[in-house]
Amino acid sequence: MDIAEFIGSAFADGQVLTVPWGIDYFSVVVGVLTGALFACDRKLDIIGTVVLGLLTGYGGGIIRDVLLQDKGVYFTSHPDLILLCIVLCAFVFYFRGLFKHLDATVFFADALSVGLFALAGASKAYACGEGFVLTVILGAITAVGGGAVRDICVGETPGIFQQSNFYAVAGLGGSLLFTVLAYLGSPLVVAGIACVLAVVLLRYWSVYFDWKTRDEADLTPHVTRGLGSLKRLVSGVFLHGGDRISTRRQRKRSRARKGDREGEERR
């Protein structure tokens, strides 16, 4: 399927978005590439590089397909792509020096692949009729699941669970945007393009403006201070304020009694 057929079918069919195989392959290949480079940075051998590359490229999709239990598993449906990814991992392992000066290119390709993964996960869940919430969740899982599995395999806390520039947030945002537009009746090709653009822009903006998720956010002190202020306010109104009202009433009664006594004395 070429791009023209993709756009035409997406506008014609409001339920299923068929992504061209070239775009699909590109997202997987970039995921595999980033996984292989990650393995080289950790000084793993050729087997480790291939395994981590495949896990990064396919991990999120495998989790999605297992949870959906529908329409097969993408990993086993394209053996030619698996072979291509293995060759790519081997190339990265033996010629990693070629990628040292391509950080900006790899970053852009990675951001684009995350957006495409989010689109693939959300669109497949939407086509299966999984509902709004699960469509958003499965899109986000597809976007970042491979990276999380990769980190776990090398004994590290997944990067998506740590303070960092937007990665999981970007995938979640793109998936959410696609789902909202799809449920509002927008053509799925428009929703898909918006999803990918949202992910890429969120990734770039988070790095440019140094937006990061917080590693801790304890609101207990703020809530405690707020409750203390509220308690003092309530106490002032209903207790001390009531005491003042009672005091004024007693003074009025005292003055009234004093006036009565003075009147009796005059008589």
Side-chain angles (χ1 to χ4, degrees):
M1 175 182 289
D2 58 20
I3 299 298
E5 292 175 346
F6 163 62
I7 295 176
S9 65
F11 275 99
D13 189 350
Q15 296 299 322
V16 179
L17 177 63
T18 304
V19 179
W21 68 268
I23 295 178
D24 224 7
Y25 275 31
F26 171 80
S27 60
V28 174
V29 166
V30 173
V32 170
L33 172 63
T34 58
L37 290 173
F38 180 90
C40 291
D41 290 339
R42 300 306 187 276
K43 301 187 182 304
L44 302 185
D45 65 2
I46 181 65
I47 300 299
T49 301
V50 172
V51 170
L52 280 192
L54 293 177
L55 284 175
T56 307
Y58 285 102
I62 291 175
I63 296 173
R64 173 204 63 203
D65 293 337
V66 170
L67 292 175
L68 282 176
Q69 298 183 5
D70 190 21
K71 297 187 177 181
V73 179
Y74 183 85
F75 174 73
T76 59
S77 303
H78 300 81
D80 54 334
L81 181 57
I82 296 176
L83 181 60
L84 174 63
C85 291
I86 292 175
V87 172
L88 175 62
C89 290
F91 180 82
V92 172
F93 181 80
Y94 288 108
F95 299 97
R96 68 190 73 179
L98 297 176
F99 299 92
K100 289 183 178 180
H101 305 292
L102 297 176
D103 291 342
T105 303
V106 172
F107 178 82
F108 172 75
D110 179 59
L112 186 59
S113 71
V114 172
L116 292 172
F117 277 137
L119 170 60
S123 62
K124 187 170 184 178
Y126 179 76
C128 293
E130 291 300 322
F132 186 94
V133 175
L134 284 180
T135 299
V136 175
I137 292 175
L138 289 174
I141 288 176
T142 308
V144 301
V149 173
R150 173 202 65 198
D151 294 342
I152 292 172
C153 286
V154 295
E156 298 181 4
T157 301
I160 61 173
F161 298 151
Q162 303 181 58
Q163 183 182 35
S164 62
N165 298 112
F166 293 170
Y167 192 81
V169 171
L172 182 62
S175 179
L176 176 62
L177 181 59
F178 172 86
T179 307
V180 169
L181 292 177
Y183 272 87
L184 289 177
S186 172
L188 294 187
V189 66
V190 175
I193 293 173
C195 169
V196 176
L197 285 177
V199 173
V200 173
L201 290 177
L202 282 173
R203 283 287 290 147
Y204 268 91
W205 286 345
S206 69
V207 173
Y208 183 80
F209 295 106
D210 198 27
W211 295 340
K212 292 184 178 180
T213 55
R214 299 187 61 177
D215 55 355
E216 61 177 354
D218 187 6
L219 299 178
T220 305
H222 302 284
V223 174
T224 302
R225 286 196 295 269
L227 291 176
S229 300
L230 180 61
K231 181 179 179 181
R232 289 191 295 271
L233 177 62
V234 172
S235 176
V237 171
F238 292 99
L239 297 180
H240 300 299
D243 292 343
R244 286 195 293 270
I245 294 173
S246 178
T247 302
R248 285 198 295 269
R249 288 177 178 174
Q250 290 178 359
R251 289 176 180 173
K252 288 181 180 179
R253 291 171 184 168
S254 299
R255 285 196 295 268
R257 291 171 184 169
K258 184 177 180 181
D260 293 340
R261 286 197 298 270
E262 290 177 351
E264 291 177 357
E265 290 176 356
R266 291 194 188 98
R267 293 174 188 171

